[in-house]
Amino acid sequence: MEKFIIRGGKILEGKVDVSGAKNSALALMPATLLNDGINAIENTPEVNDIHTMIKLMTELGSNINFDKHRLTIDNSNVNNQVAPYELVKKMRASIYVLGPLLTRFGYAKVSMPGGCAWGPRPINLHLEAMKKLGAEIELELGYIIAKSKRLRGAKIHFDVPSVGATGNTLMAAALAKGSTLISNAATEPEIVSLAEYLTKMGAKINGIGTKMIEIEGVDTLSPADYYNIPDRIEAGTLLIAAGITGGNVTLCNVMPNHVDTILIKLEEAGFRLESNENEITLRSTGAIANVDVTTDVYPGFPTDMQAQWIALMSLANGTSTITDTIYPDRFNHVPELARLGANIEVVNNSAVVKGVGKLTGAKVMSTDLRASASLVLAGLAASGTTEILRIYHIDRGYQRIEEKLKTLGADIERVKTDEY
């Protein structure tokens, strides 16, 4: 086991590169299963979730090489359509293999997904979409068993614009016979990235980036290379790291339009933001203003930034309310932030945060990926020493975040521990 030790109070300054988007890469990788050749995905982050997907796809028969953020995936020998519980339980994104396996091979047996420990996140939208495309679906002993001779295009409407269900449907429909129309599709950058990659393979897709996507199925797709987009959640986290410490930081290799809502809220909180095509600079100007936030589907404020925003508002002047409309019970970080001195009350799906004068270091425990990030942020701003246990959670989605923070002047180290 490992933990972080943070000696807080250091003002962050300098430049730092943003890694490739974890959530984007986790959709791009299974998309390669739609062809039987060699594909390359550049700018892939070296995080644990990527290694879990590599293990899963290797189990299916893919031959994968991962070197210097470049994934080379050879699917010419894929001969297994079973995604086992032992791997799928580690990560919800494993469900992304369902659509590609089903549409290419006519069969998929995928364990019900696992992942973060909080909140019900049903996969019914995925399954209903596959059914509308003509699949027979059975649930048996914790597995999804999907069969179809060849999927057929259909009209599919999502009551909720699910990123995962939109991605799975895009991949399944790419090789289906006829036209598929997805209405109320997710518009997240990760879905745009996936659709663009499928297009490079030869898929016929119209309406990319809109809520109405039309896919005209083709008989085969060809191998293709793709450069992955930057991680917008890592970008937002690093911007808050700068702001919560009163620092001035420039992010490089970032797409500012992907984080527009976060930038707007940071400006409301009193920070000065400057951006160009692939850089964002945050400059602190003094006290942090209290700013309410309500999470929403893209382009709204991301639920994956809710915990980090609560950490920032813990040091704001006044009271702010952070409401999560996506995952109403995603507040496992609140008791741990309270150990550092934060004043937070959770009421239904909202956190009421009363800004305090300072946070004080303490021993805390990570409970999930984004909760871990919030504790790191709070620890950077706290006086004294903060120890964060169970940092394997943060390693799922942030590439050696302590090294990036060190380059900006943070006093943070990763050490071995027997504590759990």
Side-chain angles (χ1 to χ4, degrees):
M1 298 292 292
E2 294 177 319
K3 66 180 177 181
F4 284 148
I5 297 178
I6 305 174
R7 299 166 186 89
K10 307 291 185 182
I11 296 174
L12 301 193
E13 304 274 357
K15 289 189 173 185
V16 65
D17 289 336
V18 174
S19 298
K22 183 261 295 188
N23 288 340
S24 172
L26 289 175
L28 299 175
M29 292 170 68
T32 68
L33 291 167
L34 294 166
N35 66 66
D36 61 0
I38 300 174
N39 306 265
I41 303 172
E42 303 274 6
N43 198 35
T44 303
E46 293 188 7
V47 297
N48 287 352
D49 275 8
I50 296 297
H51 289 287
T52 298
M53 185 63 80
I54 289 173
K55 290 177 183 177
L56 174 56
M57 291 183 62
T58 300
E59 177 79 12
L60 301 176
S62 301
N63 186 0
I64 302 178
N65 181 59
F66 191 17
D67 183 49
K68 296 180 180 178
H69 307 296
R70 176 185 172 90
L71 273 172
T72 304
I73 305 174
D74 182 354
N75 291 317
S76 57
N77 293 314
V78 171
N79 57 5
N80 177 24
Q81 290 84 51
V82 179
Y85 169 75
E86 290 74 21
L87 292 173
V88 176
K89 69 177 182 179
K90 298 179 180 179
M91 181 181 67
R92 294 193 62 83
S94 302
I95 192 68
Y96 271 136
V97 303
L98 174 64
L101 290 177
L102 174 62
T103 196
R104 180 178 164 195
F105 298 100
Y107 178 81
K109 182 177 179 181
V110 181
S111 174
M112 299 287 281
C116 289
W118 48 265
R121 291 190 276 176
I123 59 167
N124 60 300
L125 295 178
H126 300 250
L127 303 186
E128 289 304 316
M130 297 304 114
K131 287 180 182 178
K132 287 190 176 180
L133 291 171
E136 296 178 10
I137 304 288
E138 296 178 8
L139 300 180
E140 183 178 293
L141 299 176
Y143 278 83
I144 303 159
I145 300 175
K147 303 175 185 177
S148 176
K149 290 183 179 179
R150 184 179 182 184
L151 298 179
R152 292 184 173 273
K155 291 183 178 180
I156 296 169
H157 175 80
F158 293 127
D159 290 334
V160 178
S162 162
V163 173
T166 299
N168 238 332
T169 305
L170 272 172
M171 291 185 278
L175 290 178
K177 184 177 179 60
S179 177
T180 297
L181 180 67
I182 305 174
S183 60
N184 201 27
T187 61
E188 273 76 358
E190 295 79 13
I191 290 296
V192 173
S193 180
L194 173 61
E196 289 175 347
Y197 188 33
L198 293 173
T199 300
K200 288 195 73 174
M201 292 183 191
K204 296 180 179 179
I205 304 174
N206 291 315
I208 295 174
T210 74
K211 289 187 171 295
M212 297 285 288
I213 304 177
E214 187 172 8
I215 308 103
E216 187 66 37
V218 296
D219 292 333
T220 59
L221 293 173
S222 302
D225 297 347
Y226 193 78
Y227 192 89
N228 187 28
I229 59 175
D231 196 305
R232 60 195 175 100
I233 304 303
E234 181 183 283
T237 301
L238 291 171
L239 287 172
I240 290 182
I244 202 169
T245 63
N248 305 289
V249 168
T250 296
L251 305 188
C252 305
N253 301 318
V254 65
M255 298 183 73
N257 61 310
H258 287 178
V259 291
D260 275 341
T261 307
I262 299 170
L263 299 183
I264 290 169
K265 289 297 181 180
L266 285 168
E267 286 183 333
E268 290 178 13
F271 301 102
R272 191 163 73 247
L273 280 299
E274 301 168 9
S275 59
N276 57 33
E277 186 177 354
N278 59 7
E279 288 188 351
I280 302 171
T281 298
L282 179 142
R283 303 185 192 280
S284 298
T285 59
I288 302 170
N290 57 306
V291 177
D292 295 343
V293 155
T294 299
T295 68
D296 203 353
V297 297
Y298 188 84
F301 193 91
T303 180
D304 279 352
M305 285 297 301
Q306 175 255 99
Q308 298 92 309
W309 194 259
I310 286 178
L312 180 65
M313 289 297 100
S314 293
L315 289 172
N317 281 344
T319 300
S320 53
T321 301
I322 294 88
T323 301
D324 201 325
T325 66
I326 309 299
Y327 300 122
D329 55 354
R330 194 181 194 177
F331 293 102
N332 288 342
H333 45 285
V334 167
E336 299 303 299
L337 288 172
R339 288 177 56 80
L340 299 172
N343 186 344
I344 309 167
E345 181 184 4
V346 176
V347 181
N348 297 321
N349 64 328
S350 296
V352 179
V353 186
K354 296 180 180 178
V356 295
K358 71 171 185 176
L359 298 175
T360 304
K363 183 177 290 186
V364 292
M365 179 182 67
S366 301
T367 55
D368 61 66
L369 171 55
R370 306 307 174 184
S372 305
S374 75
L375 297 178
V376 170
L377 296 173
L380 292 173
S383 62
T385 300
T386 298
E387 294 185 32
I388 305 177
L389 305 177
R390 298 187 182 180
I391 61 173
Y392 57 84
H393 286 295
I394 203 166
D395 289 337
R396 285 186 49 221
Y398 292 89
Q399 180 179 300
R400 304 292 293 188
I401 191 170
E402 76 279 10
E403 294 179 4
K404 296 192 177 189
L405 294 171
K406 279 182 182 179
T407 67
L408 300 174
D411 188 344
I412 176 173
E413 60 181 325
R414 178 189 294 257
V415 300
K416 297 286 186 181
T417 179
D418 294 330
E419 298 175 275
Y420 183 75

